[in-house]
Amino acid sequence: MKISEIQEKLGATLLCGEEHLDEEVLAACCSDMMSDVLAFVKNQSVLITGLINPQVIRTANMMDMVCVVFVRGKTPTDEIVSLAKECGIVLMQSSLRAYEACGILYSAGLGNGCAE
């Protein structure tokens, strides 16, 4: 699924990374615990989270993720947006709850990015 499709399906606001909207992603994962992301993510994924912290971007970068979606209307700081730009990570913001966002993307065919 293209990142632009994720933005459309979630009704998300793009915060940075417009140049990467045509990139394909295979899976998504959802967590507010970055230790779980480090332990269980298996595919290049979209990270869905409500955690607003620079560590989210650092974790996504370490795991070769190309997109982070902040849910529940959370707004990242300028520092977080700047870090995402440096790392080449697309940032989006959605008013949906994490459960809704995951359900929408799963129903649209985006796979589970976590090891089972």
Side-chain angles (χ1 to χ4, degrees):
M1 177 179 296
K2 288 187 178 186
I3 295 174
S4 60
E5 293 175 82
I6 292 169
Q7 180 186 10
E8 180 183 325
K9 290 183 184 312
L10 299 182
T13 301
L14 182 68
L15 303 174
C16 72
E18 183 175 308
E19 65 276 15
H20 300 291
L21 289 177
D22 285 333
E23 289 187 31
E24 293 277 339
V25 291
L26 305 174
C29 69
C30 180
S31 183
D32 289 346
M33 294 182 62
M34 295 303 103
S35 58
D36 282 353
V37 174
L38 290 169
F40 299 113
V41 171
K42 64 177 178 176
N43 291 329
Q44 184 180 29
S45 302
V46 174
L47 175 59
I48 300 166
T49 187
L51 180 63
I52 300 294
N53 185 304
Q55 192 61 30
V56 171
I57 305 305
R58 290 186 189 100
T59 301
N61 191 43
M62 283 178 52
M63 301 304 294
D64 294 326
M65 294 178 163
V66 294
C67 180
V68 174
V69 180
F70 293 110
V71 291
R72 301 191 305 265
K74 300 282 184 102
T75 303
T77 64
D78 291 340
E79 174 191 5
I80 293 170
V81 175
S82 179
L83 184 57
K85 286 178 184 177
E86 286 177 35
C87 295
I89 295 173
V90 177
L91 281 190
M92 293 186 218
Q93 174 188 36
S94 174
S95 61
L96 296 173
R97 293 184 172 271
Y99 180 78
E100 295 170 299
C102 291
I104 289 167
L105 296 179
Y106 185 79
S107 294
L110 196 60
N112 175 2
C114 296
E116 308 208 359

